Amino acid sequence: MSKKLQQNGLFESSRMMLPEHREAYILHQEQLAPRTRPSLDAQAAEEMSRLLSNSMVLGDRITITLFHEYEDISYTGRVLKLDRPARTLRLLTNDGSRNIQMNLITGVTPAGEWMDE
């Protein structure tokens, strides 16, 4: 019997990797790695605060983007309550209300607009 067919010889003899497979592997590994939270500048934080306050007072619909290690999460709705000491807010969505931690918010836009990235 040939040495290639014994034990791990078949795998050892086929170690070639196509460039397309290498790129796909690298992309897959990047998606598995947890991301770091982006830092917000003062102007962006002020704009987000203004949109959150307008949503609560005027009833404007907004889209909130939350940081997650692997993929951002977006919710659309109206702010019912802002609790600044506890750093949370209550958002009324089509599915009900959600409590959101303010430190996880990475973006706030009026509903219907897309964030520029």
Side-chain angles (χ1 to χ4, degrees), residues 52-112:
L52 290 171
S53 296
N54 283 350
S55 177
M56 186 176 75
V57 174
L58 303 175
D60 296 341
R61 290 178 48 85
I62 56 172
T63 300
I64 296 178
T65 305
L66 301 176
F67 173 80
H68 190 267
E69 290 180 343
Y70 299 104
E71 186 175 302
D72 289 339
I73 303 167
S74 294
Y75 295 114
T76 301
R78 290 185 303 115
V79 176
L80 293 178
K81 180 182 175 186
L82 279 171
D83 189 3
R84 292 189 193 273
R87 308 254 326 132
T88 61
L89 65 90
R90 181 173 295 248
L91 186 73
L92 178 65
T93 64
N94 292 337
D95 301 331
S97 63
R98 296 187 179 277
N99 288 326
I100 297 175
Q101 294 180 357
M102 291 174 131
N103 63 341
L104 296 177
I105 297 174
T106 59
V108 178
T109 58

Side-chain angles (χ1 to χ4, degrees), residues 6-66:
Q6 295 174 358
Q7 296 174 351
N8 201 18
L10 187 60
F11 179 74
E12 295 293 331
S13 66
S14 63
R15 287 197 176 229
M16 185 180 84
M17 184 178 278
L18 295 173
E20 299 86 24
H21 295 160
R22 182 177 181 277
E23 291 171 10
Y25 177 76
I26 290 171
L27 181 64
H28 177 71
Q29 290 300 322
E30 288 174 356
Q31 290 175 348
L32 289 179
R35 301 178 306 151
T36 58
R37 184 177 320 202
S39 60
L40 300 174
D41 61 347
Q43 186 177 5
E46 184 179 324
E47 177 70 14
M48 289 186 341
S49 177
R50 184 185 64 79
L51 287 170
L52 290 171
S53 296
N54 283 350
S55 177
M56 186 176 75
V57 174
L58 303 175
D60 296 341
R61 290 178 48 85
I62 56 172
T63 300
I64 296 178
T65 305
L66 301 176

